[in-house]
Amino acid sequence: MENMKVFGKAEDYANVDVPLIVTDGKPSSLPKHVLAWRDLSFSVPAKGAGSGADAPRTILLDNVSGFVQSGEMLAVMGPSGAGKSTFLDTLSGRRRGEQYRGSVRLDGTTEFPIRHLSSYVEQDDALFGSLTVSETLYYAARLSLPSSLSYGDVEQRINETLAQLGLSRVADNLIGTPIQRGISGGQKRRVTIGSALITKPVILFLDEPTSGLDSDTTFHVMSSLKNLAKTQNVIIIATIHQPNYDTFSLFDRLLLLARGKTLYCGPVADLPTYCETIYHPIPGFRNPADHVMSIVNPDFVGSAEQADQQISLLVKAWAPKQAELVTDLERREKEANSFRVEATAGDQASMVRKTGYLVARMMLNYRRSLIGYGVRLGMYIGMGLLLALVWINLGTEQEKLNDRISVHFFSVAFLGFMSVAGIPAFLEERGVYLRERHNGLYGPAAYALANSVVTIPFLLICNLAFCLICYWAIGLAPGAGHFFQFFIYLFLALYAAESQSVLIAALIPIFIAALAIAAFANGFWMVVQGYFMRNLPSFWQNSFHYMDFQMYSFQLLMNEDLRGTIWTCGNAPTGACQCNYYSELQEAGICAFRGEDALKALDIYDINYGKWIVILVSISLVLRLAFYAVLKLKH
């Protein structure tokens, strides 16, 4: 028990007053740690192979061992397909399972919360284009730092991070969208890094952090990270592709991989000596990074057999050094046993508070995203104008009844169909969600709840715009009460359709595929709704017809509009009354019928308003719960 270490979360360092920019370069007094990996292996089923225990497998990592300690930067290099990203994902806990072997230890123990102690910067920049740089960092801070931190403390943390990464001048600039010019690609890369640095992690993983940056910006960004590692004892592990000499010199250690095997793992300063021992000395005035990459890249060695032979020779050359590495690793782990991390800060914000921050961020994105939400609002306005101009002032003549029915069908079916326009916005959010969830900022429950809540006011606004334009122009049932019921019943259908679209996009996060399947689903509900075919075959009538949210909304709209109305009929040349629907009015000599008579003839009169509303709400709830389950299990 005396040697047991207590590891805090990343936010345990939140109240440690260490500035991000340090000019004197003094080492930090924070506890030092040693992150080590022993015999790390990872494999996947070979292409075309079965899934049985004896099925052939492709080895992505093959007994990789090494270590890095606090205050150091480790560069992970190798040609394409060397296993760099797999190594980073395995080390960070993102890829584990039956195909994983070996151990990852912090100060000699495997029992440590690496997902809470670390941040991960992915290769792609998943950011909200409608937010500014400072707003992006603000929400990253609020979602990850203790709720006890005041607004002033958070603002100071943001300003320090902006200065660290050279983003102060563009702090109020938008990230940028396809129709809104924003910051450059290199600045976006730095914002992504800043979102991870804002939490002051103990371990920082970076997958190609300099992608998209010019050489000068690359050097300054990596210099900032080097300073961060030294002053705050952060362990930084980064995959990087052929850095220039100045950038390569900033790294303390190098892990060189080829085909998942270790070809070198040690100090960057010892690399020239090692190259001489394997008869590949570094020529004068040549970048060591370029030189070792030319040695280990098997793609330009000639035949596949020659490439395999060269890699095997390099692996054998490193084997004697591997034993020395393991001995050094064990020594450093013993030295680290005297260090202890105590939790000193408050807990992370609760799920409710995180959901609140997610809602606020989504609302801000909704207000500013013209292409994502402004265009969608315009679609509802345009549809309202179309109905108002085509079905203008229908009246209550018998000939207009089918037109009136068509208005309700069109409103439910085609406005629901327009929910597919929300798929691109979700897919943009999904990239941010995956990055932040993998970094432990929040879970699927908070995001699913926030997405469900934020959708409500947006659809209410779109639905209100549609109803205000077309309701009275068409001449539907007069009165505020009737208008409000029409508005609510239509909204319930739109929300169910929106829930269906995000569920499909979560299941199949490919824009064209999700769009096609969502369109098919909406078309399917239109067919089994009962408008086109009054008497559906029993199978469809007794199954999907009663699952159809469009059907419930359509019947509610029809009853709300037609009840209490009188429809006049024409007379035949003989003077006889020609009504399509029988009514007691005709017995009294009045050539007309009531709206209730038409509803009875259409077999949609005897409905339970409350029950139908509950079913509509339940359908949306089931779809939203399924959305949460997909986020939890698939992503």
Side-chain angles (χ1 to χ4, degrees):
M1 295 295 291
E2 294 180 358
N3 292 330
M4 181 178 294
K5 295 172 289 301
V6 179
F7 296 99
K9 296 181 179 180
E11 61 265 24
D12 296 342
Y13 293 86
N15 294 333
V16 180
D17 188 17
V18 179
L20 281 173
I21 298 179
V22 180
T23 56
D24 57 11
K26 291 181 179 178
S28 170
S29 60
L30 289 171
K32 290 185 178 294
H33 304 287
V34 175
L35 179 68
W37 50 98
R38 290 284 298 271
D39 300 324
L40 208 58
S41 297
F42 190 90
S43 63
V44 295
K47 188 175 182 179
S51 57
D54 298 330
R57 305 184 68 84
T58 299
I59 298 175
L60 302 182
L61 292 177
D62 188 5
N63 293 318
V64 178
S65 299
F67 70 90
V68 60
Q69 61 184 9
S70 298
E72 292 182 340
M73 287 206 310
L74 170 70
V76 182
M77 293 178 57
S80 298
K84 302 185 296 295
S85 295
T86 302
F87 169 76
L88 213 63
D89 290 344
T90 305
L91 200 62
S92 62
R94 290 190 170 197
R95 300 185 72 171
R96 298 285 174 89
E98 295 180 359
Q99 64 271 35
Y100 161 79
R101 291 189 296 105
S103 63
V104 179
R105 305 197 302 264
L106 187 65
D107 299 345
T109 180
T110 58
E111 301 297 326
F112 69 99
I114 192 166
R115 298 287 289 273
H116 292 148
L117 290 169
S118 64
S119 287
Y120 192 112
V121 178
E122 295 176 335
Q123 189 170 349
D124 298 324
D125 298 316
L127 302 167
F128 284 109
S130 299
L131 270 61
T132 66
V133 172
S134 59
E135 288 168 347
T136 300
L137 296 186
Y138 170 78
Y139 285 109
R142 281 303 190 188
L143 289 167
S144 58
L145 296 176
S147 56
S148 59
L149 284 182
S150 66
Y151 178 81
D153 293 332
V154 173
E155 187 176 19
Q156 181 181 359
R157 181 75 62 85
I158 293 170
N159 291 334
E160 290 174 346
T161 305
L162 290 170
Q164 176 78 16
L165 296 173
L167 294 170
S168 297
R169 292 184 179 181
V170 295
D172 297 325
N173 290 19
L174 292 177
I175 299 297
T177 67
I179 64 171
Q180 290 177 300
R181 186 176 179 181
I183 59 178
S184 67
Q187 289 168 332
K188 288 181 182 179
R189 181 95 284 242
R190 282 181 276 166
V191 172
T192 304
I193 295 173
S195 299
L197 290 180
I198 200 78
T199 62
K200 294 187 179 179
V202 178
I203 307 166
L204 181 62
F205 298 101
L206 304 108
D207 190 5
E208 298 286 354
T210 60
S211 176
L213 304 183
D214 56 60
S215 58
D216 186 59
T217 305
T218 294
F219 175 75
H220 284 92
V221 168
M222 297 311 297
S223 294
S224 299
L225 292 173
K226 172 70 173 179
N227 187 60
L228 175 77
K230 184 177 180 182
T231 59
Q232 298 189 34
N233 275 342
V234 178
I235 296 173
I236 295 181
I237 302 174
T239 61
I240 193 164
H241 182 69
Q242 287 188 279
N244 62 26
Y245 177 81
D246 292 335
T247 301
F248 184 64
S249 300
L250 293 172
F251 287 92
D252 300 283
R253 301 184 67 83
L254 169 67
L255 172 61
L256 195 60
L257 297 173
R259 297 184 178 177
K261 303 177 185 295
T262 304
L263 304 187
Y264 179 80
C265 184
V268 169
D270 294 346
L271 184 60
T273 303
Y274 178 73
C275 288
E276 290 183 3
T277 63
I278 61 173
Y279 306 105
H280 288 282
I282 302 174
F285 306 106
R286 189 177 188 192
N287 180 8
D290 293 337
H291 179 70
V292 294
M293 285 295 292
S294 67
I295 297 173
V296 303
N297 194 338
D299 296 335
F300 306 102
V301 178
S303 66
E305 184 178 347
Q306 290 176 317
D308 292 340
Q309 185 178 12
Q310 176 165 318
I311 295 299
S312 298
L313 289 174
L314 292 172
V315 170
K316 290 179 181 179
W318 172 250
K321 297 289 184 180
Q322 184 72 11
E324 299 177 13
L325 175 71
V326 172
T327 302
D328 191 21
L329 183 158
E330 293 173 347
R331 177 183 62 80
R332 291 174 186 262
E333 284 183 332
K334 291 179 180 179
E335 292 176 354
N337 281 341
S338 60
F339 296 106
R340 184 179 179 91
V341 179
E342 298 286 356
T344 57
D347 294 331
Q348 276 187 312
S350 65
M351 194 196 84
V352 174
R353 188 180 291 270
K354 289 183 177 184
T355 302
Y357 288 130
L358 288 173
V359 168
R361 184 173 68 177
M362 290 179 184
M363 291 291 288
L364 185 60
N365 186 45
Y366 275 33
R367 293 203 309 268
R368 292 180 182 170
S369 181
L370 176 63
I371 192 170
Y373 303 100
V375 171
R376 289 191 67 190
L377 177 58
M379 290 169 62
Y380 284 90
I381 292 173
M383 195 64 68
L385 289 171
L386 178 64
L387 264 69
L389 294 174
V390 173
W391 281 283
I392 187 168
N393 196 19
L394 284 179
T396 55
E397 295 82 13
Q398 176 178 250
E399 293 78 13
K400 300 293 184 180
L401 180 59
N402 284 336
D403 297 335
R404 192 105 156 210
I405 295 173
S406 298
V407 166
H408 299 306
F409 168 76
F410 194 91
S411 298
V412 173
F414 284 86
L415 263 66
F417 199 98
M418 285 159 49
S419 65
V420 300
I423 291 176
F426 167 74
L427 293 179
E428 179 192 31
E429 288 183 2
R430 176 181 174 272
V432 178
Y433 161 74
L434 291 177
R435 172 173 60 82
E436 293 179 335
R437 185 195 175 186
H438 286 154
N439 281 329
L441 271 64
Y442 52 85
Y447 175 77
L449 182 59
N451 181 277
S452 302
V453 169
V454 170
T455 302
I456 294 174
F458 175 70
L459 288 181
L460 285 174
I461 293 172
C462 292
N463 189 37
L464 181 62
F466 170 82
C467 293
L468 287 174
I469 292 171
C470 71
Y471 188 86
W472 284 287
I474 294 171
L476 300 179
H482 287 291
F483 173 83
F484 179 74
Q485 289 182 69
F486 181 89
F487 172 78
I488 291 299
Y489 299 154
L490 185 56
F491 168 77
L492 291 176
L494 297 185
Y495 190 77
E498 189 82 9
S499 302
Q500 174 185 264
S501 291
V502 295
L503 171 60
I504 291 172
L507 275 169
I508 308 170
I510 303 170
F511 173 65
I512 297 299
L515 190 68
I517 294 175
F520 171 81
N522 283 304
F524 175 80
W525 297 128
M526 290 167 62
V527 170
V528 300
Q529 188 234 66
Y531 171 79
F532 292 113
M533 189 174 182
R534 306 293 186 195
N535 299 311
L536 289 168
S538 58
F539 170 77
W540 302 104
Q541 178 75 28
N542 298 326
S543 56
F544 293 103
H545 177 70
Y546 289 105
M547 301 178 192
D548 189 352
F549 61 88
Q550 292 185 15
M551 182 272 287
Y552 294 103
S553 180
F554 172 73
Q555 292 188 5
L556 285 168
L557 291 175
M558 286 282 290
N559 278 267
E560 174 275 327
D561 183 42
L562 297 185
R563 285 176 184 261
T565 58
I566 303 292
W567 295 82
T568 60
C569 309
N571 294 316
T574 61
C577 182
Q578 289 186 320
C579 286
N580 295 332
Y581 301 97
Y582 170 77
S583 174
E584 294 178 354
L585 295 176
Q586 297 156 26
E587 298 290 339
I590 302 173
C591 191
F593 61 88
R594 292 186 175 90
E596 289 85 347
D597 299 321
L599 291 171
K600 290 176 182 177
L602 296 172
D603 198 23
I604 57 174
Y605 178 75
D606 295 321
I607 67 170
N608 186 317
Y609 279 65
K611 183 178 180 180
W612 261 226
I613 292 171
V614 169
I615 291 174
L616 272 172
V617 173
S618 299
I619 290 173
S620 294
L621 182 60
V622 169
L623 290 170
R624 288 289 168 175
L625 289 174
F627 174 59
Y628 161 74
V630 170
L631 291 176
K632 185 176 179 63
L633 300 176
K634 182 178 177 63
H635 303 298

